[in-house]
Amino acid sequence: MKKLQNSLYITRQGAYLHKERETLVIEVEKEKAMQVPIHAIQAIYCFGNVMVSPFLMGFCGENGVHLAFFTEYGRFLGRLQGKQTGNVLLRQTQYKTAELKPESISRNIIAAKITNSRSVLYRHLRNHGENADVNQAIVQMSSSLRRLQKRDNLDSIRGIEGEAAAFYFGVFDQLILPSVGKGFEFNTRSRRPPLDRVNALLSFLYSVVGNDITAALQGVGLDPQMGFLHQTRPGRDSLAQDVLEEFRAWLVDRLVLSLINRKQIKANDFEIEVSGAVKLKDDARKTVLVALQNRKQETVKHPFLNEDVPIGLLPHVQALLLARHLRGDLAEYPPFVPR
Amino acid sequence: MSDTRLIPLSALQHYAFCRRQCALIHNEQAWSENWLTAQGQQLHQRVDHGLPESRKGIRYERGVEVSAPTLGLTGKLDLVEVEIATGVCFPVEYKRGKPKQDHIDLIQLCAQALCLEEMLNINVSHGAIWYWQTRHRHQVEITPELRQETLSIIDATRSLLNSGQTPKAKYEKKCQACSLYDLCNPKLTFRDTSRAYVKTIYQENADEETAK
């Protein structure tokens, strides 16, 4: 399997990154803050005012190192893309499938999304005892899943996705432990901008993980913009959003819940703007990224491959499986549904 | 300009090793290095970068690019030795490993000879393969039989690549040595279990329901 190397997250404002022979140097206020061998790096994510030398950009482009830029607050701005690689025939099949028969891939992805979201609820029941509302949501989501199996047009697949998400987020508030204290109330999913702290955390991590998925899709030669479930819209990585559905609950939501419930993130780690928009503070963003990075190093048994895979490589594995399905090696796209 | 796709010389060898590998590399543009390929690259860097030189009436040209539209081939030759007096060409292919049981290396050398013949309108009767592991140079005669075999491999490779199809994987012992193992995942597609896998997602749902 492809090697899981390190992702670097640069959150220090005013940092300057450049290449010195075979190493990457991070300078802060003209002082060397860090120097690492460049070949051990898979991705560099820059948040806010971070400068990158043209030579380092060139290296990233040539070697498939993912280099992406975000605002200080984690909104995606852009990424460096090297030479277009991969199979143009694969992309052609991807476009044809998206246009002519996007249903089966979409349905499989949503089945995974519902199952994985429901697992988060089951997990809560296991760890914290019975809860009638959560139980009720599980029953409703199971019913959605059952009906999903028979749906073969996109609109009704999307409809079932919507209702299952409503059941899930309807009880999400109850997964946050009472001991956490004030500030982490969750009403409903809000974005652009997130209107409460929980949503701010969710949005930030969805965006970071979404970018890993984009990179993984490009890595196997798929076009991250041409989705099956999400409508094509200029500037949106619809396919990355499709694949992200499998990972939202299992990877991001669980991480957010444990950061909050273990009090690694506190109410004063956020700034609230006059508009009501909620943003993570600089240090807290670092805490979140470190937690994600640690999680990415853990391994998990991939349910379809039956192999231990580092979590950070899962997007790559799913991208590969999707490509294999599109190229006719696999009859169905096997989404990620951990047991 | 004609728009016919020229097949890289290297594709012939990939084809002879594994049809799926050939399609993965040349159509799907999948490439991944392992230590075997990395060592090969290093060796070729040394060979290719030498300057042309003349010794004892022979000119040595390295990294010679050829294309033969009639054959539909293109590629780069490690070394061509040209007898200055007669113009006789003698291609030399450098290999990382040692001589093999099958004809793969011979076919590649023969294809090189065919390219030189088409480009220069000459006859190439011999070539050589130099093996790094054994440090031996094997002289090879370009016989009519070898030519015939090479031409049929060229044809088969061309029709595979033009079809745009990637053959299904078939797991064999040689897969272990293939640098594309992870991208190809032969055990995965050897037996496609994706349908059953997707079914279980819904099945587990039903099991949980009845357990209640």
Side-chain angles (χ1 to χ4, degrees):
Chain A
M1 190 48 72
K2 195 174 159 194
K3 258 211 322 249
L4 175 62
Q5 293 170 308
N6 269 322
S7 303
L8 274 181
Y9 299 91
I10 315 291
T11 55
R12 188 65 179 271
Q13 299 305 293
Y16 175 59
L17 277 61
H18 61 106
K19 184 172 174 279
E20 208 178 277
R21 287 187 215 93
E22 298 302 301
T23 63
L24 166 78
V25 176
I26 303 173
E27 263 178 32
V28 179
E29 281 153 18
K30 309 222 158 147
E31 300 266 322
K32 257 186 206 177
M34 202 172 127
Q35 185 162 19
V36 288
I38 202 158
H39 296 279
I41 292 166
Q42 185 181 37
I44 305 172
Y45 299 101
C46 304
F47 292 85
N49 178 22
V50 176
M51 284 161 287
V52 179
S53 81
F55 294 103
L56 180 57
M57 286 190 187
F59 175 88
C60 291
E62 253 188 332
N63 292 279
V65 174
H66 189 54
L67 174 63
F69 297 92
F70 298 79
T71 66
E72 218 181 320
Y73 303 105
R75 191 169 61 82
F76 174 71
L77 293 172
R79 88 180 73 83
L80 181 95
Q81 192 178 345
K83 193 173 166 291
Q84 178 84 54
T85 54
N87 181 8
V88 64
L89 302 172
L90 172 65
R91 282 193 290 278
Q92 204 172 31
T93 316
Q94 179 190 353
Y95 299 141
K96 272 188 204 151
T97 309
E99 202 177 335
L100 301 175
K101 44 179 177 61
E103 292 83 11
S104 99
I105 294 173
S106 300
R107 189 173 48 233
N108 292 357
I109 285 173
I110 293 309
K113 178 182 182 174
I114 297 176
T115 311
N116 295 344
S117 309
R118 197 183 49 180
S119 298
V120 172
L121 302 186
Y122 271 126
R123 192 183 165 84
H124 179 80
L125 293 184
R126 269 202 309 279
N127 294 340
H128 304 284
E130 274 307 302
N131 176 324
D133 293 340
V134 173
N135 235 328
Q136 172 70 12
I138 289 175
V139 172
Q140 287 166 320
M141 288 168 79
S142 300
S143 139
S144 305
L145 187 59
R146 206 167 38 240
R147 276 174 288 127
L148 176 71
Q149 195 173 7
K150 298 180 194 81
R151 292 295 184 276
D152 53 12
N153 79 74
L154 268 191
D155 280 339
S156 63
I157 292 169
R158 289 190 186 120
I160 288 182
E161 176 199 9
E163 74 170 45
F167 296 140
Y168 173 70
F169 279 118
V171 295
F172 197 72
D173 185 46
Q174 306 198 27
L175 310 184
I176 295 162
L177 303 180
S179 59
V180 165
K182 279 180 82 72
F184 286 104
E185 297 76 19
F186 174 90
N187 262 321
T188 176
R189 180 84 186 100
S190 58
R191 52 207 187 99
R192 280 184 226 172
L195 297 175
D196 60 48
R197 294 178 173 85
V198 180
N199 272 298
L201 277 173
L202 290 173
S203 289
F204 176 62
L205 276 171
Y206 289 151
S207 145
V208 173
V209 174
N211 242 278
D212 285 347
I213 295 172
T214 294
L217 292 168
Q218 279 173 332
V220 302
L222 287 163
D223 180 346
Q225 291 198 321
M226 189 58 154
F228 301 102
L229 178 68
H230 288 84
Q231 262 162 11
T232 321
R233 198 192 292 155
R236 174 160 82 173
D237 286 342
S238 300
L239 183 60
Q241 292 298 311
D242 286 355
V243 177
L244 177 63
E245 299 294 357
E246 304 169 33
F247 294 107
R248 281 178 193 268
W250 182 80
L251 184 56
V252 174
D253 299 359
R254 273 175 55 186
L255 188 60
V256 165
L257 287 171
S258 75
L259 283 168
I260 297 173
N261 286 339
R262 289 182 192 154
K263 299 183 184 164
Q264 283 165 281
I265 290 286
K266 301 192 183 64
N268 61 10
D269 281 327
F270 298 83
E271 293 172 299
I272 298 169
E273 304 196 325
V274 277
S275 63
V278 180
K279 283 174 181 172
L280 261 170
K281 285 186 192 165
D282 213 26
D283 288 347
R285 215 166 23 245
K286 204 167 162 183
T287 311
V288 172
L289 290 172
V290 168
L292 177 65
Q293 189 64 26
N294 290 338
R295 186 97 176 95
K296 279 160 82 169
Q297 307 292 336
E298 292 170 25
T299 62
V300 56
K301 172 85 82 191
H302 192 283
F304 183 69
L305 298 181
N306 240 328
E307 261 174 53
D308 286 330
V309 177
I311 288 172
L313 274 189
L314 287 173
H316 172 77
V317 171
Q318 290 310 121
L320 202 61
L321 290 174
L322 183 54
R324 295 269 74 103
H325 165 63
L326 289 170
R327 296 294 290 146
D329 281 348
L330 297 172
E332 295 261 357
Y333 166 61
F336 180 68
V337 183
R339 309 217 186 278
Chain B
M1 274 303 272
S2 122
D3 194 35
T4 337
R5 178 179 181 184
L6 295 180
I7 309 288
L9 278 167
S10 60
L12 303 179
Q13 195 160 34
H14 295 139
Y15 181 92
F17 177 74
C18 166
R19 293 174 63 230
R20 180 171 166 89
Q21 190 204 47
C22 183
L24 284 172
I25 293 174
H26 297 281
N27 271 356
E28 305 214 13
Q29 311 269 292
W31 182 248
S32 158
E33 301 268 350
N34 64 11
W35 74 269
L36 291 168
T37 63
Q39 204 184 15
Q41 296 250 356
Q42 213 194 359
L43 175 69
H44 277 90
Q45 251 173 31
R46 290 217 312 253
V47 181
D48 289 352
H49 285 190
L51 290 169
E53 55 181 336
S54 296
R55 267 185 280 134
K56 292 183 184 161
I58 294 176
R59 199 168 76 244
Y60 298 84
E61 298 234 23
R62 297 167 205 275
V64 178
E65 288 188 46
V66 290
S67 78
T70 313
L71 282 170
L73 287 179
T74 178
K76 204 167 171 185
L77 277 47
D78 292 336
L79 174 66
V80 179
E81 299 178 357
V82 190
E83 214 177 271
I84 295 168
T86 59
V88 167
C89 283
F90 187 91
V92 183
E93 169 68 10
Y94 282 66
K95 288 286 167 210
R96 189 203 62 79
K98 51 186 184 216
K100 301 174 187 66
Q101 291 286 320
D102 51 35
H103 284 182
I104 295 181
D105 294 343
L106 305 184
I107 285 165
Q108 199 185 3
L109 185 72
C110 176
Q112 297 183 352
L114 294 174
C115 287
L116 287 173
E117 289 184 343
E118 181 170 336
M119 287 191 87
L120 303 170
N121 203 12
I122 53 167
N123 177 46
V124 177
S125 64
H126 289 86
I129 307 173
W130 192 87
Y131 288 100
W132 187 80
Q133 254 179 33
T134 56
R135 320 263 161 167
H136 267 290
R137 180 168 160 151
H138 294 251
Q139 175 128 334
V140 177
E141 191 191 341
I142 312 293
T143 61
E145 295 76 36
L146 182 57
R147 284 167 192 267
Q148 206 43 56
E149 196 180 351
T150 306
L151 286 174
S152 71
I153 295 268
I154 294 171
D155 271 347
T157 307
R158 184 172 30 240
S159 53
L160 170 73
L161 293 184
N162 285 346
S163 78
Q165 302 289 320
T166 303
K168 295 228 177 199
K170 196 168 157 226
Y171 183 73
E172 287 175 64
K173 200 170 164 214
K174 67 182 178 193
C175 292
Q176 296 295 339
C178 176
S179 75
L180 294 187
Y181 186 90
D182 291 322
L183 289 165
C184 165
N185 225 324
K187 280 185 175 165
L188 180 74
T189 52
F190 191 34
R191 240 189 73 223
D192 177 6
T193 57
S194 62
R195 242 181 253 273
Y197 172 84
V198 169
K199 233 179 208 163
T200 58
I201 299 175
Y202 298 97
Q203 192 52 46
E204 272 169 36
N205 179 38
D207 292 349
E208 276 157 12
E209 302 258 301
T210 45
K212 280 222 170 89

